[in-house]
Amino acid sequence: MKELNELILPDDVRFTEEHEWARKEGENVRVGISDYAQDQLGDIVFVELPEVGSSFSKGDEFGTVESVKTVSELYMPIGGEVVAINEELADHPEYVNTDPYGKGWMIELKPTNPAELDELLDKDAYLKQLEG
Amino acid sequence: MKRTPLHGWHKGHGANMAEFGGYEMPLWYGSAKEEHLSVLTKAGLFDTSHMAVVEVKGSNAFHLLQKCFSRDLRECLGPTKRPLTPGNCVYGVFLNVSGGVVDDAIVDQLDENHYLCVVNAGMGGVLTQHLLDHAEGLSVHIRDLTDEVGKIDIQGPAAAKVLKKVLQDPGAVFEGMRYFSFKGHFEDSSGPTGTVLLKNNIPILLSRTGYTGEFGFEIFCDPTRVTEVWEMILDAGRDFGITPCGLAARDSLRAGAVLPLSHQDIGPWPFLRNPWIFALPFNEDQTGFTKDFTGGEALLEIHDADYTLPFIGNDLRKVPVTETTTVQTLDGSPIGTVLTCVTDMGIGKVEDKIYSVASPDKPVGFAPRGLSCGFVKVKKALKAGEAIRLTDGRRAITVTITYDIRPDRTARVPIQSML
């Protein structure tokens, strides 16, 4: 298990209390789960993602991530329409473990309200939550 | 929370720790999947010092176990039903008067009227009390050895090759070492089971048993030396690709091998209609028992017990097992509950046949993603091949009732072919 000071927490993403991350990519926003989440879950063996074109509000469940230990729900950090999903995860779910903010991204959104991104936790606030 | 003597080693090697049976135990170190696969193809090492040992000794020791343990010790070994003798061990259960499970156990016979009952974490005190409750008027000493015995398991096809490097006189030790036999003792002794020494002179009890369905051994030793033994075996096993393994791999391996987790797959409900009733002392025509024992009378009176059945999934997806997880027929009628649901990451389906990564006839390039498996407890007698639905209300998976799960397991392979 990683110690808190070993966690990768990039400066260019925002976090949710449920351990998703969101990063602005041009007009769109990419979403995945944090290094802390993947470390806690252990080997990710399956990621269930929504159809491209589906729309969700902030906080909606958009998929599940299955580890050797359990099945966990994924929640929308902000509202929006899914414009792309990471299809490589079908064959390589382990990318969520090895590169949670890069090759392990899950969905790309067209935000309903881009300002929702600013309401998410920044690195320091997220770390503070993890420290409890 | 209690700790085993290896707690510091686990923490120092990055284990993800969690509570199990009152102990803080490693779930996995790096990857539970790699740990699981390592046991199927190489070797894995498990800290099982959380398990408990209860010693039963004295002129009425046999009598007490005949009264309380589910196996008839006069006829329990092998297909010819030989009696239990020193150096052999047998799996069974201790039942309460209602036929519910107090705990499951492996009973090792050390000598005439001298036995060890190996039980689950936190159960040393419980079994000791249970036996004392039935020992009135009997001449027997019951000793709870929880915390006085260290235990580690080496499991996997390379297990004997690894131990060969750390044992004094491995040839003599492995000679005639059948499945469910053992040699030596964790205390210096010269009983009928002899002495097994490691190269650094630590005495061990070496038992050809385990909880993975694969070839391997359970090793009992002085708890103050268990870390030394652990490191010595890891060191000797490096060339064979040995991996320290946590409880996650232990759970997925044992489920794939159709072995029950006590207090989860068997528990305080009648020990009937499950895959493990071979542990009951049935007579030849299965109409009664060959001996009277605690819980036996109650079992013979029960005719409406639930059915505990193994299942296998179509892919690796699981359902989380919670209080609200149910088993349904395909048309949605609830028929029971899910006891265990895990993924055996070493198996996969190719054209409707299930192979393991260790199957000799596996297809070229076979790289399975795993299949979910486990046990359900249902009101209805289902046959192998029947499909059912498991759901926690959010997710539903369709699985199939089966007799067996992971094929080509190695637990019973003769030791000579594993050296």
Side-chain angles (χ1 to χ4, degrees):
Chain A
M1 196 166 62
K2 289 188 178 183
E3 299 294 334
L4 288 181
N5 61 16
E6 294 170 332
L7 291 174
I8 303 165
L9 301 173
D11 291 314
D12 64 344
V13 307
R14 292 296 189 104
F15 298 91
T16 69
E17 287 171 7
E18 287 82 29
H19 312 290
E20 287 86 12
W21 58 261
R23 181 201 286 122
K24 207 163 178 339
E25 305 258 342
E27 296 291 293
N28 293 338
V29 172
R30 270 197 180 177
V31 174
I33 63 168
S34 73
D35 191 30
Y36 175 82
Q38 72 76 21
D39 185 55
Q40 288 290 315
L41 290 168
D43 288 332
I44 305 296
V45 292
F46 191 76
V47 184
E48 203 163 2
L49 296 174
E51 304 265 323
V52 170
S54 41
S55 289
F56 299 94
S57 304
K58 178 186 166 93
D60 283 355
E61 185 182 326
F62 70 86
T64 56
V65 59
E66 180 152 356
S67 69
V68 291
K69 189 164 82 172
T70 188
V71 183
S72 308
E73 286 74 38
L74 297 163
Y75 299 102
M76 293 288 278
I78 62 171
E81 182 191 337
V82 178
V83 295
I85 62 168
N86 185 355
E87 287 175 7
E88 284 203 60
L89 295 183
D91 287 327
H92 296 286
E94 73 276 9
Y95 286 169
V96 178
N97 294 115
T98 55
D99 191 7
Y101 305 101
K103 282 158 81 177
W105 70 276
M106 291 175 178
I107 57 172
E108 193 165 312
L109 300 172
K110 188 169 174 231
T112 316
N113 174 9
E116 280 183 344
L117 193 60
D118 302 324
E119 296 163 14
L120 299 178
L121 304 173
D122 63 16
K123 173 184 171 171
D124 292 338
Y126 181 59
L127 191 59
K128 207 162 178 182
Q129 181 201 308
L130 295 180
E131 284 163 353
Chain B
M1 228 185 315
K2 291 182 76 171
R3 295 173 170 188
T4 74
L6 281 158
H7 183 270
W9 194 95
H10 302 319
K11 293 284 270 190
H13 289 77
N16 190 311
M17 308 289 285
E19 192 273 338
F20 179 79
Y23 286 77
E24 191 182 4
M25 297 298 291
L27 283 180
W28 58 76
Y29 300 87
S31 155
K33 181 174 181 175
E34 291 308 316
E35 293 166 21
H36 179 110
L37 295 176
S38 185
V39 170
L40 298 184
T41 57
K42 297 172 219 159
L45 194 62
F46 298 81
D47 175 14
T48 51
S49 297
H50 58 310
M51 292 177 70
V53 178
V54 177
E55 182 181 53
V56 182
K57 195 177 179 180
S59 56
N60 291 136
F62 170 84
H63 187 101
L64 177 63
L65 289 176
Q66 273 298 75
K67 191 172 159 188
C68 294
F69 191 51
S70 71
R71 302 303 286 259
D72 188 335
L73 301 181
R74 298 167 304 184
E75 41 178 301
C76 61
L77 290 189
T80 56
K81 301 217 166 189
R82 287 170 291 119
L84 188 67
T85 46
N88 289 299
C89 45
V90 64
Y91 172 82
V93 290
F94 290 95
L95 301 177
N96 59 32
V97 286
S98 316
V101 174
V102 174
D103 203 11
D104 64 354
I106 288 179
V107 170
D108 294 31
Q109 182 166 8
L110 283 165
D111 203 342
E112 194 184 340
N113 280 312
H114 189 186
Y115 301 88
L116 297 173
C117 307
V118 184
V119 291
N120 290 279
M123 296 306 291
V126 174
L127 181 67
T128 300
Q129 190 55 52
H130 179 78
L131 292 174
L132 283 172
D133 291 345
H134 291 83
E136 205 179 324
L138 297 180
S139 171
V140 61
H141 299 283
I142 302 161
R143 201 153 64 107
D144 176 7
L145 299 181
T146 303
D147 303 332
E148 289 172 53
V149 187
K151 178 172 178 286
I152 59 181
D153 298 1
I154 181 169
Q155 302 274 294
K161 291 177 188 155
V162 176
L163 288 188
K164 198 175 169 183
K165 292 175 68 180
V166 300
L167 284 168
Q168 289 183 24
D169 205 357
V173 173
F174 290 148
E175 176 68 35
M177 205 159 185
R178 292 184 312 271
Y179 188 46
F180 271 80
S181 69
F182 70 96
K183 290 186 181 180
H185 195 290
F186 44 85
E187 290 164 357
D188 280 309
S189 81
S190 53
T193 60
T195 304
V196 176
L197 292 174
L198 297 176
K199 281 192 171 154
N200 53 6
N201 288 319
I202 297 178
I204 59 167
L205 187 157
L206 183 68
S207 176
R208 220 197 116 185
T209 44
Y211 190 49
T212 61
E214 301 305 323
F215 178 81
F217 302 86
E218 296 182 287
I219 299 164
F220 300 75
C221 69
D222 178 345
T224 65
R225 308 202 68 179
V226 69
T227 305
E228 204 180 324
V229 176
W230 173 270
E231 289 183 327
M232 187 180 178
I233 293 174
L234 281 183
D235 203 38
R238 198 158 295 136
D239 295 344
F240 299 98
I242 199 170
T243 309
C245 299
L247 291 185
R250 190 166 162 84
D251 197 35
S252 50
L253 286 159
R254 68 90 193 171
V258 199
L259 299 172
L261 176 58
S262 192
H263 313 290
Q264 182 169 306
D265 301 313
I266 53 177
W269 58 86
F271 186 79
L272 284 170
R273 293 178 175 169
N274 67 44
W276 312 290
I277 54 166
F278 63 82
L280 293 174
F282 283 114
N283 58 18
E284 255 177 52
D285 57 9
Q286 307 269 309
T287 54
F289 297 133
T290 57
K291 67 166 186 178
D292 289 329
F293 68 105
T294 306
E297 204 178 333
L299 291 183
L300 292 174
E301 297 296 315
I302 297 166
H303 302 289
D304 59 350
D306 287 350
Y307 297 85
T308 298
L309 304 166
F311 68 85
I312 190 157
N314 295 319
D315 57 38
L316 60 79
R317 284 178 301 160
K318 306 184 281 282
V319 285
V321 179
T322 66
E323 280 170 13
T324 58
T325 308
T326 55
V327 180
Q328 303 176 345
T329 56
L330 291 187
D331 59 18
S333 321
I335 52 168
T337 54
V338 181
L339 302 173
T340 287
C341 184
V342 297
T343 299
D344 186 325
M345 288 155 290
I347 58 175
K349 215 183 269 184
V350 180
E351 289 167 2
D352 280 343
K353 184 169 175 341
I354 293 161
Y355 297 90
S356 142
V357 289
S359 293
D361 60 342
K362 66 182 175 186
V364 177
F366 180 65
R369 302 273 304 272
L371 295 172
S372 60
C373 60
F375 304 103
V376 291
K377 187 162 158 282
V378 293
K379 300 272 172 217
K380 215 175 148 201
L382 300 170
K383 289 195 186 68
E386 283 192 63
I388 49 170
R389 228 168 136 247
L390 314 183
T391 180
D392 66 340
R394 310 175 73 105
R395 161 186 274 210
I397 60 171
T398 300
V399 302
T400 308
I401 298 295
T402 183
Y403 292 121
D404 205 0
I405 300 174
R406 188 172 67 249
D408 303 309
R409 299 194 297 271
T410 54
R412 295 162 191 273
V413 171
I415 195 166
Q416 290 76 13
S417 59
M418 294 307 230
L419 289 165

